[in-house]
């Protein structure tokens, strides 16, 4: 199925944080069976709407720890460490909320900017027990998670306007100020790019070819005098490069595609944050009459639970490996001795550059695993019926590779509840179950119900040296092709220990000055 980008209608599901986003703005794919998860095929989620995932995501707006971005610089990308990115994180507007136990220090934040970042003006009273539970087992509360130490239990901001308590997306933030005012800006929703045009002699991108949803047989084109910027997201950007002849030679030649640039890393290094969702019994949003009442309150005065993001929220804990277990050194040692072929997709181990790049990643990531200031695990609570347990910084990698020269076909995708304060409010685990206690039972449960995605796909056009299997350089220019950059989550060489939208914004803001 082709991905056609729709211009949303600013309907309630887009703007009201507490409502589910419209399904028509999502594109859901299925991976090949995953051997590590009992051969279950796994979903791969993507947005198909102007503004991308920011229109339909959980609105969680947070940065990773400083080490998450310093890792990018250590992988051969000068100018991409924490101190370099912080000014661009601060391009988002931020509003403080007096009712939240957070730091009043605005130093790490911007106070104005197109994308708004704030706290909802309502918080479920029961969620204070989330922090009491963590504090009771030695995990402190962190009043300032955006200053380079995204760790412990904290309240996170949402991509939400403080003024009217509505979603702030890339669409609402960047498009209206220029719509109809810039003669050199044209937006074509309901169209899909099928190929990047390249002058093969000059090795330069000259434009793109695209089709309309209503007539996929009529190919149209647009020329570029300066640059083509590819921003189709981690699932689709590598596909567009591959069908354009930019990617692994063996793959392209096998499908009859003329090789314009042999770039082995295109589509590899795919990773996301695997998650297991544990069900609980005390949330309220399954009561539809109650939901209707709360929406009426929201529309009247922009207050109440509908200001909280649907099945998401602001209440989260990011835990270091040291916090999780006293055996963290043994775990890291075991990971260092792992056969890399067991955590890489088919074909990756056959290319020395991809293998060299992953070895560098593994070395740096495992060093960060030993830090008390780097989160490797997330547990959140919200107004939904699930508590997600998320592996923030996975070591395994997958791939997104085409299996046909048809640009409209889908590519192939390889890939804390027992604390006493919770008991005071009647929390009971209903998914996985309290009786799953032995190592074997826990492993079986993990393999059966874990999803390999948290809708944060990254890495498929990695910013790394070409000798590491990189696809773009530190200016996000595609190796071997002039006039072509990639600017989306696919360029992240490693995923930061947080949700990814605010990092994508920072990357895009930084590119404006490259």
């Amino acid at each position: 199925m082709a991905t056609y980008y729709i211009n949303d209608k600013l309907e309630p599901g887009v703007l009201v944080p507490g409502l589910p986003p419209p399904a028509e703005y999502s594109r859901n794919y299925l991976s090949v069976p995953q051997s590590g998860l009992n051969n279950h095929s796994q979903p791969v989620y993507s947005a198909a709407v102007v503004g991308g995932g920011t229109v339909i995501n959980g609105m969680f707006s947070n940065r990773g720890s400083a080490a998450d971005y310093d890792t990018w610089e250590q992988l051969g990308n000068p100018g991409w460490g924490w101190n370099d990115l912080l000014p661009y994180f601060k391009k988002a507007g931020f509003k403080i909320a007096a009712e939240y136990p957070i730091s009043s220090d605005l130093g790490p934040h911007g106070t104005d900017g197109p994308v708004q970042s704030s706290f909802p003006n309502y918080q479920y009273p029961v969620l204070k027990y989330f922090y009491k539970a963590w504090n009771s087992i030695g995990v402190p509360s962190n009043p300032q998670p955006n200053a380079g130490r995204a760790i412990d239990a904290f309240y996170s901001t949402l991509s939400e306007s403080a003024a009217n308590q509505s979603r702030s997306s890339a669409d609402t933030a960047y498009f209206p100020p220029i719509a109809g005012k810039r003669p050199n800006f044209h937006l074509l929703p309901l169209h899909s790019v099928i190929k990047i045009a390249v002058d093969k002699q000059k090795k330069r991108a000259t434009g793109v070819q695209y089709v309309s949803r209503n007539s996929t047989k009529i190919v149209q084109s647009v020329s570029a005098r300066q640059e083509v910027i590819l921003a189709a997201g981690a699932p689709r950007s590598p596909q567009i490069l591959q069908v354009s002849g930019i990617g692994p030679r063996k793959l392209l030649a096998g499908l009859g595609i003329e090789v314009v640039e042999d770039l082995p890393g295109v589509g590899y290094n795919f990773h996301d944050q695997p998650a297991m969702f544990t069900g609980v019994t005390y949330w309220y949003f399954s009561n539809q009459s109650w939901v209707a009442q709360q929406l009426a309150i929201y529309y009247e005065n922009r207050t109440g639970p509908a200001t909280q993001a649907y099945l998401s929220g602001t209440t989260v804990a990011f835990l270091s490996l040291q916090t999780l277990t006293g055996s963290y050194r043994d775990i890291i040692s075991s990971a260092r001795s792992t056969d890399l072929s067991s955590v890489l997709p088919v074909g990756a181990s056959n290319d020395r550059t991809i293998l060299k790049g992953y070895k560098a990643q593994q070395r740096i990531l495992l060093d960060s695993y030993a830090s008390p200031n780097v989160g490797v695990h997330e547990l959140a609570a919200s107004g939904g019926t699930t508590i997600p347990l998320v592996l923030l910084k996975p070591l395994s990698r997958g791939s997104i590779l085409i299996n046909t020269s048809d640009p409209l076909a889908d590519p192939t995708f390889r890939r804390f509840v027992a604390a006493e304060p919770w008991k005071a409010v009647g929390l009971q685990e209903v998914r996985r179950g309290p009786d799953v206690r032995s190592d074997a039972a826990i492993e079986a449960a993990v393999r059966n119900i874990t999803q390999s995605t948290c809708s944060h796909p990254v890495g498929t056009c990695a910013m790394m040296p070409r000798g590491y299997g990189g696809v773009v350089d530190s200016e996000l220019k595609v190796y071997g092709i002039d006039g072509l950059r990639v600017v989306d989550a696919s360029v992240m060489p490693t995923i930061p220990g947080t949700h990814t939208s605010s990092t994508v914004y920072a990357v895009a803001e930084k590119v404006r000055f490259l």
Side-chain angles (χ1 to χ4, degrees):
M1 178 189 296
T3 300
Y4 302 93
Y5 294 90
I6 307 167
N7 196 19
D8 72 76
K9 309 173 189 69
L10 297 179
E11 56 266 70
V14 168
L15 293 179
V16 181
L19 289 177
E24 65 177 312
Y25 302 148
S26 299
R27 291 291 180 267
N28 302 333
Y29 312 106
L30 207 59
S31 76
V32 299
Q34 304 295 291
S35 60
L37 298 177
N38 290 339
N39 287 318
H40 295 155
S41 291
Q42 296 290 312
V44 179
Y45 301 110
S46 181
V49 60
V50 175
T54 65
V55 176
I56 63 172
N57 65 10
M59 299 176 58
F60 190 94
S61 178
N62 193 67
R63 309 159 190 171
S65 291
D68 293 327
Y69 306 102
D70 291 342
T71 292
W72 296 4
E73 192 162 47
Q74 292 170 44
L75 283 167
N77 300 300
W80 286 92
W82 166 257
N83 290 331
D84 304 296
L85 277 170
L86 182 58
Y88 303 101
F89 279 118
K90 294 168 69 171
K91 294 290 184 179
F94 172 78
K95 301 296 181 183
I96 202 166
E99 62 269 30
Y100 286 83
I102 58 175
S103 173
S104 59
D105 177 18
L106 294 178
H109 298 279
T111 55
D112 191 19
V115 178
Q116 297 300 299
S117 178
S118 68
F119 296 91
N121 59 23
Y122 176 88
Q123 187 61 268
Y124 291 99
V126 73
L127 287 178
K128 63 186 178 184
Y129 292 96
F130 178 88
Y131 298 96
K132 289 183 177 181
W134 283 118
N135 298 163
S136 75
I137 59 174
V139 177
S141 299
N142 180 359
Q144 180 52 282
N146 283 309
R149 190 175 178 274
I151 203 73
D152 299 327
F154 58 89
Y155 286 102
S156 173
T157 49
L158 300 179
S159 296
E160 183 169 322
S161 168
N164 62 14
Q165 296 288 291
S166 64
R167 179 190 290 268
S168 179
S169 68
D171 182 16
T172 60
Y174 290 99
F175 182 51
I178 62 174
K181 299 177 183 178
R182 284 181 50 173
N184 63 342
F185 182 87
H186 304 277
L187 181 65
L188 290 176
L190 298 174
H191 288 73
S192 182
V193 169
I194 60 171
K195 189 176 183 179
I196 297 168
V198 179
D199 183 319
K200 298 178 179 62
Q201 289 186 327
K202 296 181 178 180
K203 286 289 191 79
R204 181 174 185 85
T206 59
V208 298
Q209 297 177 356
Y210 63 95
V211 295
S212 165
R213 165 177 284 188
N214 298 320
S215 182
T216 60
K217 293 183 179 180
I218 301 177
V219 178
Q220 302 180 76
S221 63
V222 62
S223 298
R225 284 182 291 201
Q226 295 186 19
E227 283 189 321
V228 173
I229 296 177
L230 178 59
R236 285 290 181 178
S237 286
Q239 179 191 22
I240 293 172
L241 289 176
Q242 290 164 10
V243 298
S244 304
I246 304 167
R249 178 182 297 277
K250 184 177 179 180
L251 171 71
L252 304 185
L255 295 172
I257 298 173
E258 182 182 358
V259 179
V260 176
E261 182 68 22
D262 180 16
L263 203 51
V266 175
Y268 285 100
N269 197 47
F270 174 41
H271 54 296
D272 200 333
Q273 295 163 330
M276 185 171 71
F277 295 88
T278 298
V280 294
T281 58
Y282 70 91
W283 304 116
Y284 315 117
F285 253 80
S286 58
N287 185 327
Q288 292 305 307
S289 62
W290 182 85
V291 170
Q293 293 172 1
Q294 300 311 314
L295 284 175
I297 293 172
Y298 175 86
Y299 287 126
E300 181 178 353
N301 55 27
R302 291 298 196 269
T303 60
T307 65
Q308 284 278 354
Y310 177 75
L311 296 185
S312 181
T314 63
T315 314
V316 70
F318 288 174
L319 307 178
S320 70
L321 192 58
Q322 284 194 34
T323 299
L324 285 170
T325 174
S327 301
Y328 70 94
R329 291 188 180 90
D330 293 336
I331 293 173
I332 293 172
S333 177
S334 177
R336 290 193 193 280
S337 64
T338 298
D339 179 5
L340 293 186
S341 65
S342 68
V343 295
L344 293 176
V346 175
S349 298
N350 296 329
D351 184 270
R352 61 178 181 81
T353 64
I354 295 174
L355 190 59
K356 184 177 180 180
Y358 182 69
K359 286 180 178 179
Q361 287 188 39
Q362 185 201 47
R363 182 182 68 253
I364 296 169
L365 285 173
L366 289 177
D367 286 344
S368 74
Y369 269 34
S371 170
N373 296 317
V374 174
V376 300
H377 174 84
E378 172 190 349
L379 191 147
S382 68
T385 57
T386 61
I387 290 182
L389 292 82
V390 183
L391 178 60
L392 291 172
K393 298 177 75 65
L395 294 173
S396 61
R397 296 294 183 265
S399 63
I400 298 179
L401 304 173
I402 57 175
N403 55 14
T404 172
S405 60
D406 181 359
L408 301 180
D410 288 344
T412 299
F413 298 85
R414 307 254 176 218
R415 343 211 237 170
F416 97 83
V417 173
E420 291 301 322
W422 274 133
K423 295 180 181 179
V425 293
L427 180 72
Q428 182 178 350
E429 187 178 1
V430 297
R431 188 178 303 160
R432 195 204 76 173
D435 296 329
V436 179
R437 296 181 179 277
S438 70
D439 288 351
I442 292 172
E443 179 180 346
V446 168
R447 292 187 185 278
N448 276 319
I449 67 176
T450 295
Q451 294 185 8
S452 61
T453 177
C454 203
S455 301
H456 302 146
V458 305
T460 49
C461 299
M463 175 177 59
M464 291 192 297
R466 191 164 185 169
Y468 277 7
V471 176
V472 300
D473 64 16
S474 59
E475 293 187 333
L476 306 191
K477 296 178 179 179
V478 176
Y479 288 115
I481 304 294
D482 290 336
L484 178 59
R485 298 189 205 230
V486 183
V487 186
D488 57 30
S490 71
V491 304
M492 299 183 194
T494 57
I495 195 165
T498 185
H499 299 215
T500 52
S501 63
S502 60
T503 300
V504 173
Y505 282 128
V507 168
E509 289 283 0
K510 180 176 172 65
V511 171
R512 293 172 55 202
F513 300 94
L514 292 180

